[in-house]
């Protein structure tokens, strides 16, 4: 992908291996406006990056609902959290930048992500990630990580840690300014789902 006359390879990693315990049903398959959440986020990722990877233990369940070009990575550390899933994916994904996404972002749009992509050439070389921020900390599962972050991540996990926020708080991260905060909304509960279904 060429941005500001620079050739930058960007891959997307979509995490779709959670328990969906607060939802009570598989979030990836939830229908919003006639399309499943995983289908929607896969199409957004495909139009904004060079390649798309979906990390899940259940590739057979999802293969028919995503673009055929999407790659699946078998998640081995089932239900151990997004940080472990991301770490596993980095063994297979080699890019300058990685767009890491949760599968439950119903309002994320192609135009929004393409705007974000244009910020990448201006990110300091010292910064490991470009992420939105909220009142609780970084939006870990909707932003960009440098492809060479694996060494730092492996070291962090080896020390017995599993918390995304703790890892990021020990690294240099630039804030991705997002005007329309709605695009960062995660559909985590049945109440969330009913609200977006009636949006």
């Amino acid at each position: 992908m060429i941005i500001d006359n620079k050739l930058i390879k960007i891959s997307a990693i979509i995490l779709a291996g959670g328990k969906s315990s607060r939802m009570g049903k598989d979030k990836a398959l939830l229908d919003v406006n006639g399309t499943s959440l995983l289908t929607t986020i896969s199409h957004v990722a495909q139009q904004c990056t060079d390649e798309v990877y979906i990390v899940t233990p259940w590739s057979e369940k999802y293969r028919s609902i995503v673009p055929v070009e999407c790659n699946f990575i078998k998640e081995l550390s089932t239900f151990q959290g997004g940080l472990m899933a991301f770490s596993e994916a980095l063994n297979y994904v080699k890019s300058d930048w990685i767009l890491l996404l949760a599968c439950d972002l119903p309002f994320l749009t192609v135009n929004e992500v393409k705007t974000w992509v244009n910020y990448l050439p201006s990110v300091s070389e010292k910064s490991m990630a470009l992420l939105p921020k909220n009142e609780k900390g970084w939006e870990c599962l909707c932003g960009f990580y440098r492809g060479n972050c694996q060494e730092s991540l492996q070291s962090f996990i080896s020390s017995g840690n599993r918390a995304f926020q703790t890892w990021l708080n020990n690294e240099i991260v630039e804030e991705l300014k997002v005007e329309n905060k709605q695009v960062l909304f995660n559909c985590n509960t049945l109440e969330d789902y009913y609200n977006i279904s009636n949006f």
Side-chain angles (χ1 to χ4, degrees):
M1 186 172 293
I2 297 176
I3 311 166
D4 287 351
N5 296 317
K6 295 180 181 179
L7 182 61
I8 300 176
K9 184 177 181 182
I10 306 172
S11 297
I13 293 176
I14 301 171
L15 302 185
K19 290 182 180 179
S20 301
S21 53
R22 283 185 286 172
M23 181 65 67
K25 59 178 72 176
D26 189 345
K27 289 193 292 185
L29 297 177
L30 287 178
D31 184 297
V32 177
N33 298 322
T35 308
S36 75
L37 287 178
L38 182 57
T39 302
T40 298
I41 203 70
S42 298
H43 280 286
V44 170
Q46 186 185 39
Q47 293 179 67
C48 300
T49 63
D50 297 299
E51 53 192 3
V52 179
Y53 294 84
I54 299 170
V55 187
T56 181
W58 313 293
S59 57
E60 306 81 10
K61 183 165 60 169
Y62 299 143
R63 188 168 294 281
S64 65
I65 65 169
V66 301
V68 294
E69 297 84 1
C70 289
N71 306 284
F72 280 89
I73 296 174
K74 180 79 170 179
E75 184 178 346
L76 302 176
S77 58
T78 313
F79 304 146
Q80 292 188 40
L83 193 73
M84 291 296 293
F86 183 37
S87 176
E88 285 187 12
L90 289 174
N91 291 320
Y92 304 93
V93 182
K94 306 302 175 188
S95 295
D96 299 307
W97 284 99
I98 292 165
L99 172 63
L100 183 63
L101 297 170
C103 67
D104 58 351
L105 295 160
F107 299 129
L108 192 64
T109 66
V110 171
N111 287 341
E112 187 75 33
V113 177
K114 284 186 174 180
T115 297
W116 298 349
V117 165
N118 288 327
Y119 300 148
L120 294 178
S122 62
V123 176
S124 167
E125 291 185 5
K126 297 179 180 179
S127 298
M128 190 199 67
L130 176 67
L131 301 171
K133 209 169 190 179
N134 59 39
E135 63 280 357
K136 295 181 181 179
W138 299 107
E139 291 278 359
C140 310
L141 303 184
C142 188
F144 297 89
Y145 295 80
R146 287 199 184 275
N148 62 5
C149 70
Q150 186 176 24
E151 183 177 348
S152 165
L153 180 52
Q154 290 287 1
S155 175
F156 178 75
I157 291 173
S158 296
S159 66
N161 292 290
R162 296 289 187 274
F164 247 116
Q165 295 291 345
T166 306
W167 175 49
L168 293 171
N169 288 338
N170 290 315
E171 298 292 339
I172 299 175
V173 179
E174 288 190 26
E175 183 177 356
L176 174 60
K177 300 293 185 181
V178 179
E179 290 187 16
N180 179 12
K181 296 290 187 180
Q182 187 184 55
V183 301
L184 303 174
F185 175 80
N186 290 102
C187 186
N188 286 316
T189 66
L190 278 174
E191 183 180 2
D192 291 340
Y193 180 52
Y194 294 142
N195 287 338
I196 64 171
S197 297
N198 295 319
F199 189 81

